[in-house]
Amino acid sequence: MSVKSGFPRDDPKERAGREGRAVRDDRAEREDRDGRDDHVARIQAEWERERPDLDVSPQGVFGRLHRLAALLTDEITVVYREHGLSEGEFDVLAALRRAGEPFERAPGELAQHTMVTTGAMSKRIDRLESAGLVTRRASSDDGRGRVVALTAEGRHVIDAAFTDHIANEHRLLEGMPAADVRQLESLLAQWLTRVDG
């Protein structure tokens, strides 16, 4: 003769539901504590409700990185526009300025430094040359090659733009303790090394 237990059976679906609610309650508590009641947190909470069988915690990192990248790009490029530059044009001028005297690089080298195709680089150089910010000339090492160099006006523009750019980046980091900024930089550098090889 079978004996029925006096305790109710633990239905797997009900158990999963309880565990999902516990995770959401824990996340809500952490968000209240850390001030993270943001768009990404709401998306996570919805997925946790709909798919309690999945660990969606990576969204907390990737979602915020994606959102930060979009917001910060908007904040950064406004400074470039104030100096009459697109993001790509700023990158070219900055790569030339970083080269040091005589502030010149080959187009292929510029493409590597700015991570664009040579075709896209050629269009950027055309626009900058038309604006009088760079010049093209034959390479002294190889007459068949070409070299792109900053003009005096180009150096003036990139120096002013870079000064404002750095001030803007400092502004965007305001409110974060210096130790947190250093730790964030270290973590991002480690992660980038692993992903970028």
Side-chain angles (χ1 to χ4, degrees):
M1 181 176 64
S2 62
V3 178
K4 293 184 178 179
S5 169
F7 296 97
R9 294 181 61 186
D10 191 6
D11 184 272
K13 291 184 179 179
E14 291 182 359
R15 183 169 66 252
R18 290 197 302 273
E19 291 172 352
R21 285 191 295 273
V23 169
R24 291 194 294 274
D25 290 345
D26 179 62
R27 182 177 299 281
E29 182 180 343
R30 293 198 308 272
E31 288 165 3
D32 288 342
R33 183 175 64 249
D34 300 337
R36 293 189 299 178
D37 183 17
D38 56 22
H39 182 67
V40 177
R42 291 191 290 275
I43 290 174
Q44 277 183 279
E46 290 171 353
W47 275 121
E48 284 170 345
R49 182 191 67 228
E50 296 301 314
R51 292 297 305 272
D53 56 311
L54 295 178
D55 174 12
V56 297
S57 59
Q59 285 191 315
V61 175
F62 288 97
R64 289 183 176 88
L65 280 176
H66 182 76
R67 187 159 175 78
L68 266 173
L71 293 171
L72 293 177
T73 296
D74 287 344
E75 291 284 347
I76 288 171
T77 55
V78 69
V79 172
Y80 304 157
R81 290 194 297 272
E82 288 172 355
H83 292 270
L85 301 171
S86 68
E87 185 175 15
E89 291 162 354
F90 176 91
D91 285 347
V92 172
L93 295 180
L96 291 171
R97 182 65 176 86
R98 293 196 309 270
E101 292 279 5
F103 310 114
E104 60 184 32
R105 296 185 193 267
E109 187 183 2
L110 280 172
Q112 291 177 349
H113 277 270
T114 55
M115 296 179 290
V116 298
T117 64
T118 53
M121 178 54 61
S122 181
K123 292 178 181 178
R124 292 179 182 181
I125 294 171
D126 287 345
R127 291 193 297 269
L128 290 168
E129 188 175 28
S130 296
L133 303 181
V134 304
T135 60
R136 285 184 174 105
R137 66 170 178 79
S139 171
S140 56
D141 297 329
D142 179 3
R144 294 172 299 175
R146 304 289 288 175
V147 169
V148 180
L150 280 178
T151 63
E153 178 62 17
R155 182 177 175 182
H156 172 75
V157 168
I158 189 58
D159 279 349
F162 187 69
T163 297
D164 290 347
H165 170 67
I166 289 298
N168 191 36
E169 289 190 331
H170 279 287
R171 177 186 67 82
L172 292 169
L173 288 172
E174 283 178 0
M176 288 185 67
D180 287 354
V181 173
R182 289 193 297 270
Q183 183 181 25
L184 177 60
E185 181 182 6
S186 176
L187 290 171
L188 290 173
Q190 293 174 43
W191 190 12
L192 182 59
T193 298
R194 289 197 297 271
V195 174
D196 201 26

